Amino acid sequence: MGQGERYYRTELAIIGSGLAGFAASVFALARGIASAQVGNTGAVAYTTGYLDLLGSCRGLWLDDPWQGLELLRESEPRHPLSRIGRTAIQAAFDQFSGALTEMGVGYTAPAERNHLALTPAGTVKPTLSVPQTMLPGIEARKAGVRTLIIDILGLQGFSAKEFVANIRSSWPQLSTAKLSFPDMESGGQVFPEVMARALEVSSHRERFAERIKAALGDARLVGMPAIMGIHHPDRVHAELQRLVGVPLFEIPTMPPAVPGIRLREMFEQGFPAKGLTLVPQQKVKRLVLEAGRATLYLQDSFGEVMIESKAAILASGRFLSGGLTAERGGVREALLDIPVTQPESRADWYRQDYFDPLGHPVNRSGVEVDSSFRPLGPDGEPVNHRLFAAGILLAHHDWVRQRCGAGVAIASAHKAVEAVADMLKEQ
Amino acid sequence: MVSGIETFETEVLIIGGGVTGTGVMRDLALRGIHCLLIDRRDLNAGASGGNHGLLHSGGRYAASDSETAAECRQEGDILRQVAPDCIDDCGGMFIAVEGDDPGFAERFPGYCEAAGIDCESLSPAQAREREPALSDKLFAAYAIPDATVDPFRLTLENVNHAQQLTDSLFLPHTAVESFEIANGVITGVLCRNTKTGGMRRILVRQVVNAAGAWSMDVARRAGCSDVSLLYSKGTLIISNTRITDRVINRLRPPGDGDILVPGGTVSLLGTTSDNVDDLEDIRPTVAEVERVLIEGTAMLPCLEGTRFIRAFSGVRPLLLPAQNTADGRSASRGFTLFDHRDQGLENFATVTGGKLTTFRLMAEKTGDLVARRLGNSRPCKTATEPLPSGNAVRWTEPGFAPRFWYRRNDPTDMILCECEMVPQSAIDSIIESAPGAESEMTLQAIGVRSRVGKGSCQGSFCSIRVTSHLYDRGVYDSARGLHSMRDFLSGRFKGVQPILWGEQMPQIELSEALHCSLMGLDRLDGKANDPEKEGSG
Ligand SMILES: Cc1cc2nc3c(=O)[nH]c(=O)nc-3n(C[C@H](O)[C@H](O)[C@H](O)COP(=O)(O)OP(=O)(O)OC[C@H]3O[C@@H](n4cnc5c(N)ncnc54)[C@H](O)[C@@H]3O)c2cc1C
Ligand SMILES: Cc1cc2nc3c(=O)[nH]c(=O)nc-3n(C[C@H](O)[C@H](O)[C@H](O)COP(=O)(O)OP(=O)(O)OC[C@H]3O[C@@H](n4cnc5c(N)ncnc54)[C@H](O)[C@@H]3O)c2cc1C
C-alpha cells in the first residue's frame, strides 16, 4: 500500500447510495454482514419521501398493490417485482420502513392498501408507506375535513392556491393563506431546508405557530410544505401541533426537498454508528473481480481508497446517477460495461408523446440478472458469482409510470442481500 | 354557440402572425391604418419561430440567384439601421473542407462581387485563428457580412409598435375558416377561436393573407387557386453553448447541416431540406438530427462531443412556378405578392415565400398595394423609422434577463427560470402587456415571449415554478393551469426527444420523475386521477 492509500476489508461492498444502496445496507446490517457502502448520497435527496411499491399496472391506478403484483406477474413476468415473492417483498418493506422509524424518521407500516398521497400540484398518487408527518393530510382528504393550506412567502414552486385549485373537486373544504417565515420576511427566496432547520429551534417554532394560529379561521387542520425539521421531524411535528392546537401535516415540495434530505442525513449519521463503513461522496472508478474477492477502487482528495470484499452489490442507478450512460449508438452500463437490454436504435428510445401512459421504451432498458440477482454477461451467464445487482438499474420496469421506484429498489436490495448471505454461508 | 359569435371590425385583416404578417401590420399602422392581426395559434407559430435566425448577407445565394442575394444584402443593411436591438452583427465565414469542390471555392468571390457582397479572402490559418473550432481540413475561407436576427423580438416589436400607432390588435388562436364574399369583395371573415371553439366574425375592408406555408390553404378558402407552394421541412439543432463567434457556412452549393449560426449564448446547426406533403405535426426526427450532425462535424469536429439541448423544425413555403418540379433547395427563395384580381377578388392580397431577412421588403410591397386600395397615399416608412422597444417585448433576447436582473438588484424579484435567469417581474410584465396577452395566458404563450424553457433544462424546473407563480397571482384558479404546464412540456418534448443522449439523459430522467412521479401530470385526465373510483382491476 502506497502513501495516502486507505484500505478497507469487508464482507459486502455496496455500490450506490440511493434507496437501493441504503436498503441493502439496512438488510445486511440486520443479518450481521459486515458492509461498506459508497456513492453520492444526494440520490436519496431527490425523492418525495413516499415509498411506492406499485401504484399503477396496465395503465390503471392500484388501490391494492398486492393484487397489482399478481397482475404484474402475469403481464410482465420479467419485471423485477415479478421475480420476487410477495412474502419477501412484504418483509423487505416492513423491515425498511421499520428501520427508518427506528432511526428517527417515522414511516407508516405497509398495509393491505395503497394510500392516496398528496402532491404539491394538488393531485394524488397511490403509495404504500408515507412519512408520519404526511399521514394526517391523506386521511383528512378522505374524510373531507375543513383544512387550511398554507404556503410561504418566497418559497418557489409551491402555491397553496395551486394545490387547492386542483384538489378542490375531491376536497372542497379548503382555504389558503400565505405566511412569512420568522426572520425570513424580506420577500426574497426562502429554501425548505433552511426553514426546516430553523423549525428545530423552539423559538422559531413558537413564532411560526403563532402565525399559523392567526390564519386558522374555522379550519380544523393545517397543511403546509414539508419543512418540519430535518433530524426529528416527528418531534417537531408534535410540538408544532401542540402549539397550534390542531393537527398539522406536510405536503412534499420539488427537489431538493426536505423529506429526502432527512433520509440522507439520517443514513449518513446513523449507519456509521451501526458499524457500516460509508464512503459517501466518491464514485467507484474501477471494480476488479478476482477468484477470492471483489475490489473497489475509489479516489478522493486524500488519495486512493480500496475496498476489498467477498461480494459486491451494484446499485448504481440509471442515467441520473451515472449507473447507465447513453451514447448516440446505445446505452451502456458505466462501471463494467455489463450488457444492457435496450431498444434496437436511438430512434426507438422515446415515444412521441412525453406523457404517453405506456412510458418510454428506454426506461425499460437495464441489466439482466439471474434468479439470485447476479447481473448477466454477454454469454448470458453471471458476470461473476460475487457480483449482484439491485435497484432501478435493472431492466424491464418503468418505475416512473408504474410508481414503483422504492418498490424496485427495496425489494431487489432485499433479494440481492439474501443471495449474498447464501453465498457467504456456502464459503 | 348560436348567439355567441364575437364580431370585430377593422380596416385591414392580416392573417398570419409571423414576421411577414406582423411586418405588414406595422407597415400599415405607420401609414395610419388600423389592422387586426390573427393567428390560428400564436405569434411565430410557423416558420418565423422555426428558422435559423440568419440575417443573410446574400452569400449563400450568390452562386445560384444573384437577385435574391442582392435583395438580402440591401435588406440586411436596412435592418441594421432600424432594428439594431434585434440584430447581432457578428459577421460570417464561408469555408471549404477536404472533399469540397475547390472550383466552387475559387469562383465564390466572383459570385459575391456580382451581387455586391463584401468578401474577404482568408488563409486557412487566419480563418482558424478567428474561429478555433474550425476543422484543420479546411482549405479555403472567406469572410462575409452575415449577421443574426432574433425573429421573436422582431415580431413582438412589430405588433407592439402597431398597437401604439393605431390601436391595432392581435388575436391569438383565431383561425380563418371561410370568407363572406359579395360582388368580388370580401366583406367578412369567419374564424374559429381554437381555444374556446367559438366563432369570430371579422368585418373588413381589405384582407392580407400572410399565412406562410399555409397561405395556399387560406387562398383556396377565398376561392383563389393561383397560389402554388412546395413545402420544404428543415430541421436544426441547438447546442448548449455558443460554439463560434461568427456564422459559419459551408462553401459549397447548399446542402444538409452546412450552416452554424450563433444565437446569443447558443449555436444553431442546420438545416435539412425535405419536401413534405402535410403541414400538421411537423417534428424533428432522430434521423434528421444524425444527418445534420454528421455534415456539421465535417466543418466543426467539436460538434461530435457537443451537448445539444433541443431540435426543431420549420417549413419553408417555396413558390412553385407552374410545371416546376424542382426539389426544395432550388425552387425560388424570392417572394411573390398576389393581388388576386384575376381570381375575381378586389380586396384580397397574398404575400408568401421569401425569407426572414427580406420580410420588411415583403411588407413594404404588400403595404403599398393595400394602402393604394384603401386610397391612402402615405409612403412606406419602415426603411427609416426605427423599431421602438417596449418593456414587455424585451425578454426574448438571450442574456437580457440576467443583465436586467443584476442591474435592478431587487432580491424580492425572484428568478423563476434559473437556466435563463428570467425573474418574476418579466413574467408579470408579459402577462400584463405583451402583444397577445390575455387572461389564463398559457405557459406556451409566455415561452414565445421570453426565454422561459429555452435553457438547458428545457423548462423542466421553471414550468413548475412559473405555474405556481401564475396560480399565486390568480391567473389560474382551476386545473387548467396544470393542463397548460402539461401542454407546454409536451410541446417542448417534441424538440427534446431527438437529441436525447449523453448529458441530456440525466436531465430527462429527472424531468420525468418530477413531472410524473412528483406532480402527476401524466394522470391529469378524467378518472385516471381518481383512483378510488377505479379499483385495481
Ligand atoms: C424527483 C424524484 C422523485 C421521486 N419520487 C419517488 C416517490 O415518490 N416514490 C418512490 O418510491 N420513489 C421515488 N423516486 C425514486 C427513488 O428515489 C429512487 O430513484 C429509486 O427508488 C431507485 O433508487 P436506486 O438506489 O436504484 O438508484 P439511485 O437512487 O439512482 O442511486 C444510485 C446510486 O449509485 C451511485 N453510483 C452510481 N455510479 C456509481 C459508482 N461508479 N460508484 C459508486 N456509486 C455510484 C449514485 O451516486 C447513487 O448514489 C423519485 C426519484 C426522483 C428523482
Ligand atoms: C428551417 C428554416 C430555416 C430558415 N432559416 C432562415 C434564415 O436563417 N434566414 C432567413 O432569412 N430566413 C430563414 N428561413 C425562412 C423564414 O423563416 C421564413 O421565410 C419566414 O419566417 C416566413 O414568415 P411568414 O410570416 O411569411 O410565415 P410564418 O412564420 O410561417 O407565419 C405564418 C403564420 O400563419 C398562421 N396561419 C396558418 N394558417 C392560418 C389560418 N387558417 N388562420 C390564421 N392563421 C394561420 C400560422 O400559424 C403561422 O404563424 C428559414 C425557414 C426555415 C423553415
Side-chain angles (χ1 to χ4, degrees), chain B residues 119-177:
Chain B
C119 172
E120 176 198 354
S121 172
L122 302 173
S123 71
Q126 278 173 319
R128 296 189 62 216
E129 194 179 320
R130 290 188 194 181
E131 292 294 354
L134 291 176
S135 165
D136 58 6
K137 304 225 166 70
L138 174 160
F139 69 82
Y142 301 95
I144 40 88
D146 279 338
T148 72
V149 56
D150 176 354
F152 291 93
R153 180 118 186 235
L154 271 184
T155 307
L156 289 165
E157 291 202 354
N158 280 334
V159 177
N160 188 48
H161 199 196
Q163 286 176 343
Q164 288 171 9
L165 290 164
T166 57
D167 268 339
S168 291
L169 182 66
F170 167 59
L171 294 178
H173 45 81
T174 303
V176 169
E177 293 221 320

Coordinates of all heavy atoms in Angstrom, one line a residue, chain B residues 119-177:
Chain B
C119 N -16.5 40.5 -49.7 CA -16.0 39.1 -49.5 C -14.5 39.2 -49.4 O -13.8 39.6 -50.3 CB -16.4 38.3 -50.7 SG -15.6 36.7 -50.7
E120 N -14.0 38.9 -48.2 CA -12.6 38.9 -47.9 C -12.0 37.5 -47.9 O -12.4 36.7 -47.1 CB -12.4 39.6 -46.5 CG -10.9 39.7 -46.1 CD -10.8 40.0 -44.5 OE1 -11.9 40.2 -43.9 OE2 -9.7 40.0 -44.0
S121 N -10.9 37.3 -48.7 CA -10.3 36.0 -48.7 C -9.4 35.8 -47.5 O -8.7 36.7 -47.1 CB -9.5 35.9 -50.0 OG -8.8 34.7 -49.9
L122 N -9.5 34.6 -46.8 CA -8.7 34.4 -45.6 C -7.9 33.1 -45.9 O -8.3 32.2 -46.5 CB -9.6 34.1 -44.4 CG -10.6 35.1 -44.0 CD1 -11.5 34.6 -42.9 CD2 -9.9 36.4 -43.5
S123 N -6.7 33.1 -45.3 CA -5.9 31.9 -45.4 C -6.5 30.9 -44.4 O -7.1 31.4 -43.4 CB -4.4 32.2 -45.1 OG -4.3 32.5 -43.7
P124 N -6.3 29.6 -44.5 CA -6.8 28.7 -43.5 C -6.3 29.0 -42.1 O -7.1 28.9 -41.2 CB -6.2 27.3 -44.0 CG -6.1 27.5 -45.5 CD -5.7 28.9 -45.7
A125 N -5.0 29.5 -42.0 CA -4.5 29.8 -40.7 C -5.3 31.0 -40.1 O -5.7 31.0 -38.9 CB -3.0 30.1 -40.8
Q126 N -5.5 32.0 -40.9 CA -6.3 33.2 -40.5 C -7.7 32.8 -40.0 O -8.2 33.2 -39.0 CB -6.4 34.2 -41.6 CG -5.2 35.1 -41.8 CD -5.4 36.0 -43.1 OE1 -5.9 35.5 -44.1 NE2 -5.0 37.2 -43.0
A127 N -8.3 31.9 -40.8 CA -9.7 31.5 -40.5 C -9.7 30.8 -39.2 O -10.6 31.0 -38.3 CB -10.2 30.6 -41.6
R128 N -8.7 29.9 -39.0 CA -8.8 29.1 -37.7 C -8.3 30.0 -36.5 O -8.7 29.6 -35.4 CB -7.9 27.9 -37.9 CG -8.5 27.0 -39.0 CD -7.9 25.6 -39.0 NE -8.1 24.9 -37.7 CZ -7.1 24.1 -37.2 NH1 -6.0 24.0 -37.8 NH2 -7.4 23.5 -36.1
E129 N -7.6 31.0 -36.8 CA -7.3 31.9 -35.7 C -8.5 32.6 -35.3 O -8.8 32.8 -34.1 CB -6.2 32.9 -36.2 CG -5.5 33.7 -35.1 CD -4.5 34.6 -35.6 OE1 -3.7 34.2 -36.6 OE2 -4.4 35.7 -35.2
R130 N -9.3 33.1 -36.2 CA -10.6 33.7 -35.9 C -11.6 32.8 -35.2 O -12.3 33.1 -34.3 CB -11.2 34.4 -37.1 CG -10.4 35.6 -37.6 CD -11.2 36.3 -38.7 NE -10.3 37.2 -39.4 CZ -10.6 38.0 -40.4 NH1 -11.8 38.0 -40.8 NH2 -9.7 38.8 -40.9
E131 N -11.6 31.6 -35.8 CA -12.6 30.6 -35.3 C -11.9 29.3 -35.0 O -11.8 28.4 -35.8 CB -13.7 30.4 -36.3 CG -14.6 31.5 -36.5 CD -15.5 31.9 -35.2 OE1 -15.4 31.2 -34.2 OE2 -16.1 33.0 -35.3
P132 N -11.3 29.1 -33.8 CA -10.5 27.9 -33.5 C -11.2 26.6 -33.6 O -10.6 25.6 -33.7 CB -10.1 28.2 -32.0 CG -10.3 29.6 -31.8 CD -11.4 30.1 -32.7
A133 N -12.6 26.6 -33.6 CA -13.3 25.4 -33.6 C -13.3 24.8 -35.1 O -13.7 23.6 -35.2 CB -14.7 25.6 -33.1
L134 N -12.9 25.5 -36.1 CA -12.9 25.1 -37.4 C -12.0 23.9 -37.7 O -10.9 23.8 -37.1 CB -12.6 26.2 -38.4 CG -13.6 27.3 -38.5 CD1 -13.1 28.4 -39.4 CD2 -14.9 26.8 -39.0
S135 N -12.4 23.0 -38.6 CA -11.6 21.8 -38.9 C -10.3 22.2 -39.5 O -10.1 23.1 -40.2 CB -12.4 21.0 -39.9 OG -11.6 20.0 -40.5
D136 N -9.3 21.3 -39.1 CA -8.0 21.6 -39.7 C -7.9 21.0 -41.2 O -6.9 21.1 -41.8 CB -6.8 21.0 -38.9 CG -7.0 19.5 -38.6 OD1 -8.0 18.9 -39.2 OD2 -6.3 18.9 -37.8
K137 N -9.0 20.5 -41.6 CA -9.1 20.0 -43.0 C -9.6 21.2 -43.9 O -9.9 20.9 -45.1 CB -10.0 18.8 -43.1 CG -9.6 17.7 -42.2 CD -9.6 16.4 -42.9 CE -8.9 15.3 -42.2 NZ -9.6 14.9 -40.9
L138 N -9.6 22.3 -43.4 CA -10.2 23.5 -44.1 C -9.1 23.9 -45.2 O -7.9 24.0 -44.9 CB -10.4 24.6 -43.1 CG -10.8 26.0 -43.4 CD1 -11.4 26.6 -42.1 CD2 -9.6 26.8 -43.8
F139 N -9.6 24.2 -46.4 CA -8.6 24.7 -47.4 C -8.9 26.0 -48.0 O -8.1 26.6 -48.8 CB -8.4 23.6 -48.5 CG -9.5 23.3 -49.4 CD1 -9.8 24.2 -50.5 CD2 -10.4 22.3 -49.2 CE1 -10.8 23.9 -51.3 CE2 -11.5 22.0 -50.0 CZ -11.7 22.9 -51.1
A140 N -10.2 26.5 -47.8 CA -10.5 27.8 -48.4 C -11.4 28.5 -47.4 O -12.3 27.9 -46.8 CB -11.1 27.7 -49.8
A141 N -11.3 29.8 -47.3 CA -12.2 30.6 -46.4 C -12.4 32.0 -46.8 O -11.4 32.6 -47.3 CB -11.7 30.5 -44.9
Y142 N -13.6 32.5 -46.7 CA -13.9 33.9 -47.0 C -14.7 34.5 -45.8 O -15.6 33.8 -45.3 CB -14.7 34.0 -48.3 CG -14.0 33.5 -49.5 CD1 -14.2 32.2 -49.9 CD2 -13.0 34.2 -50.2 CE1 -13.6 31.6 -51.0 CE2 -12.4 33.7 -51.3 CZ -12.6 32.4 -51.7 OH -12.0 31.8 -52.7
A143 N -14.4 35.8 -45.5 CA -15.3 36.5 -44.5 C -16.3 37.3 -45.3 O -16.0 37.9 -46.3 CB -14.4 37.4 -43.7
I144 N -17.6 37.2 -44.8 CA -18.6 37.9 -45.5 C -19.5 38.5 -44.4 O -19.5 38.1 -43.2 CB -19.5 37.0 -46.4 CG1 -19.7 35.7 -45.8 CG2 -18.9 36.9 -47.8 CD1 -20.8 35.6 -44.9
P145 N -20.3 39.6 -44.7 CA -21.0 40.3 -43.6 C -22.3 39.7 -43.2 O -23.4 40.3 -43.2 CB -21.2 41.7 -44.2 CG -21.3 41.4 -45.7 CD -20.4 40.3 -46.0
D146 N -22.3 38.4 -42.8 CA -23.5 37.8 -42.2 C -23.8 38.3 -40.8 O -22.9 38.8 -40.2 CB -23.4 36.3 -42.1 CG -23.6 35.5 -43.4 OD1 -24.3 36.1 -44.3 OD2 -23.1 34.4 -43.5
A147 N -25.0 38.2 -40.4 CA -25.4 38.6 -39.0 C -26.5 37.7 -38.5 O -26.9 36.8 -39.3 CB -25.8 40.1 -39.0
T148 N -26.9 37.9 -37.3 CA -28.0 37.1 -36.8 C -29.2 38.0 -36.4 O -28.9 39.2 -36.0 CB -27.7 36.1 -35.7 OG1 -27.5 36.9 -34.5 CG2 -26.4 35.3 -36.0
V149 N -30.4 37.5 -36.4 CA -31.5 38.3 -36.0 C -32.5 37.5 -35.2 O -32.6 36.3 -35.4 CB -32.2 38.9 -37.3 CG1 -32.6 37.8 -38.3 CG2 -33.4 39.7 -37.0
D150 N -33.1 38.1 -34.2 CA -34.0 37.4 -33.3 C -35.4 37.6 -33.8 O -36.0 38.7 -33.7 CB -33.9 38.1 -31.9 CG -34.9 37.5 -30.9 OD1 -35.7 36.7 -31.3 OD2 -34.8 37.9 -29.7
P151 N -36.0 36.6 -34.5 CA -37.3 36.7 -35.1 C -38.4 36.9 -34.1 O -39.4 37.6 -34.4 CB -37.5 35.4 -35.9 CG -36.5 34.4 -35.2 CD -35.4 35.2 -34.6
F152 N -38.2 36.4 -32.9 CA -39.3 36.6 -31.9 C -39.4 38.1 -31.5 O -40.5 38.6 -31.4 CB -38.9 35.7 -30.6 CG -39.1 34.3 -30.9 CD1 -38.0 33.5 -31.3 CD2 -40.3 33.7 -30.7 CE1 -38.1 32.2 -31.5 CE2 -40.4 32.3 -31.0 CZ -39.3 31.6 -31.4
R153 N -38.2 38.7 -31.3 CA -38.2 40.1 -30.9 C -38.8 40.9 -32.0 O -39.5 41.9 -31.8 CB -36.8 40.5 -30.6 CG -36.6 41.9 -30.2 CD -36.1 42.0 -28.8 NE -36.1 43.3 -28.3 CZ -35.0 43.9 -27.8 NH1 -33.9 43.3 -27.7 NH2 -35.1 45.2 -27.4
L154 N -38.4 40.6 -33.3 CA -38.9 41.4 -34.4 C -40.4 41.4 -34.4 O -41.1 42.4 -34.6 CB -38.4 40.8 -35.7 CG -37.1 41.2 -36.4 CD1 -36.9 40.5 -37.7 CD2 -37.1 42.7 -36.5
T155 N -41.0 40.2 -34.3 CA -42.4 40.0 -34.4 C -43.1 40.8 -33.3 O -44.1 41.5 -33.5 CB -42.7 38.5 -34.3 OG1 -42.0 37.8 -35.2 CG2 -44.2 38.2 -34.5
L156 N -42.6 40.6 -32.0 CA -43.2 41.3 -30.9 C -43.1 42.8 -31.0 O -44.1 43.5 -30.7 CB -42.5 40.8 -29.6 CG -42.8 39.4 -29.2 CD1 -41.8 38.9 -28.1 CD2 -44.2 39.3 -28.6
E157 N -42.0 43.3 -31.5 CA -41.9 44.7 -31.6 C -42.7 45.3 -32.8 O -43.3 46.4 -32.6 CB -40.4 45.1 -31.9 CG -39.6 44.8 -30.6 CD -38.3 45.6 -30.6 OE1 -37.9 46.3 -31.5 OE2 -37.6 45.5 -29.5
N158 N -42.9 44.5 -33.8 CA -43.8 44.9 -34.9 C -45.2 45.1 -34.4 O -45.8 46.2 -34.6 CB -43.8 43.9 -36.0 CG -42.6 44.0 -37.0 OD1 -42.0 45.0 -37.1 ND2 -42.3 42.8 -37.6
V159 N -45.7 44.1 -33.6 CA -47.0 44.2 -33.1 C -47.2 45.3 -32.1 O -48.1 46.1 -32.1 CB -47.4 42.8 -32.5 CG1 -48.8 42.9 -31.9 CG2 -47.4 41.7 -33.5
N160 N -46.2 45.4 -31.2 CA -46.2 46.4 -30.2 C -46.3 47.8 -30.8 O -47.1 48.6 -30.3 CB -44.9 46.2 -29.3 CG -44.9 47.1 -28.1 OD1 -45.9 47.1 -27.4 ND2 -43.8 47.8 -27.9
H161 N -45.5 48.0 -31.8 CA -45.5 49.4 -32.4 C -46.8 49.7 -33.1 O -47.4 50.8 -33.0 CB -44.3 49.5 -33.4 CG -44.0 50.9 -33.8 ND1 -43.2 51.2 -34.8 CD2 -44.3 52.0 -33.2 CE1 -43.1 52.5 -34.9 NE2 -43.7 53.1 -33.9
A162 N -47.4 48.6 -33.8 CA -48.6 48.9 -34.5 C -49.8 49.1 -33.5 O -50.6 50.0 -33.7 CB -49.0 47.6 -35.3
Q163 N -49.7 48.5 -32.3 CA -50.7 48.7 -31.3 C -50.6 50.2 -30.8 O -51.6 50.9 -30.7 CB -50.5 47.8 -30.1 CG -50.9 46.4 -30.4 CD -50.6 45.4 -29.2 OE1 -49.8 45.8 -28.3 NE2 -51.2 44.3 -29.2
Q164 N -49.4 50.6 -30.6 CA -49.2 52.0 -30.2 C -49.7 53.0 -31.2 O -50.2 54.1 -30.9 CB -47.7 52.3 -29.9 CG -47.2 51.6 -28.7 CD -45.6 51.8 -28.6 OE1 -45.0 52.5 -29.4 NE2 -45.0 51.1 -27.7
L165 N -49.4 52.7 -32.5 CA -49.7 53.7 -33.5 C -51.2 53.9 -33.8 O -51.7 55.0 -33.9 CB -49.0 53.3 -34.8 CG -47.4 53.4 -34.8 CD1 -46.8 52.6 -36.0 CD2 -47.0 54.9 -34.9
T166 N -51.9 52.8 -34.0 CA -53.3 52.9 -34.5 C -54.2 52.1 -33.7 O -55.3 51.8 -34.1 CB -53.4 52.5 -36.0 OG1 -52.9 51.2 -36.1 CG2 -52.7 53.4 -36.9
D167 N -53.8 51.7 -32.5 CA -54.7 50.8 -31.7 C -55.0 49.5 -32.4 O -56.0 48.9 -32.2 CB -56.0 51.5 -31.3 CG -55.9 52.1 -30.0 OD1 -55.0 51.8 -29.2 OD2 -56.7 53.1 -29.8
S168 N -54.1 49.1 -33.3 CA -54.2 47.8 -34.0 C -54.2 46.7 -33.0 O -53.7 46.9 -31.8 CB -53.1 47.6 -35.0 OG -53.3 48.5 -36.1
L169 N -54.7 45.5 -33.3 CA -55.0 44.5 -32.3 C -54.4 43.2 -32.9 O -54.6 42.9 -34.1 CB -56.5 44.4 -32.1 CG -56.9 43.4 -31.0 CD1 -56.4 43.8 -29.6 CD2 -58.5 43.3 -31.0
F170 N -53.9 42.4 -32.0 CA -53.5 41.0 -32.3 C -54.4 40.0 -31.6 O -54.6 40.1 -30.4 CB -52.1 40.7 -32.0 CG -51.7 39.2 -32.0 CD1 -51.9 38.5 -33.2 CD2 -51.3 38.6 -30.9 CE1 -51.6 37.2 -33.3 CE2 -51.0 37.2 -31.0 CZ -51.1 36.5 -32.1
L171 N -55.0 39.1 -32.3 CA -55.8 38.0 -31.7 C -55.1 36.6 -31.9 O -55.1 36.2 -33.0 CB -57.2 37.9 -32.3 CG -58.2 39.1 -32.1 CD1 -59.5 38.8 -32.8 CD2 -58.5 39.3 -30.6
P172 N -54.6 36.0 -30.8 CA -54.1 34.7 -31.0 C -55.2 33.6 -31.1 O -56.4 34.0 -30.9 CB -53.3 34.4 -29.7 CG -53.9 35.4 -28.7 CD -54.5 36.5 -29.4
H173 N -54.8 32.4 -31.4 CA -55.7 31.3 -31.6 C -57.0 31.6 -32.3 O -58.1 31.3 -31.8 CB -56.0 30.5 -30.3 CG -56.2 31.3 -29.1 ND1 -57.4 31.8 -28.8 CD2 -55.4 31.7 -28.1 CE1 -57.4 32.5 -27.7 NE2 -56.2 32.5 -27.2
T174 N -56.9 32.3 -33.4 CA -58.1 32.6 -34.2 C -57.7 32.2 -35.7 O -56.9 32.7 -36.3 CB -58.3 34.1 -34.2 OG1 -58.5 34.5 -32.8 CG2 -59.5 34.5 -35.0
A175 N -58.4 31.1 -36.1 CA -58.1 30.5 -37.4 C -59.2 30.9 -38.4 O -60.4 30.7 -38.2 CB -58.0 29.0 -37.3
V176 N -58.7 31.3 -39.6 CA -59.6 31.6 -40.7 C -60.3 30.3 -41.1 O -59.7 29.3 -41.4 CB -58.9 32.2 -41.9 CG1 -59.8 32.2 -43.1 CG2 -58.3 33.5 -41.6
E177 N -61.7 30.4 -41.2 CA -62.4 29.2 -41.8 C -63.0 29.5 -43.1 O -62.8 28.8 -44.0 CB -63.5 28.8 -40.8 CG -62.9 28.2 -39.5 CD -63.6 27.0 -39.0 OE1 -64.8 27.0 -39.1 OE2 -62.9 26.1 -38.5

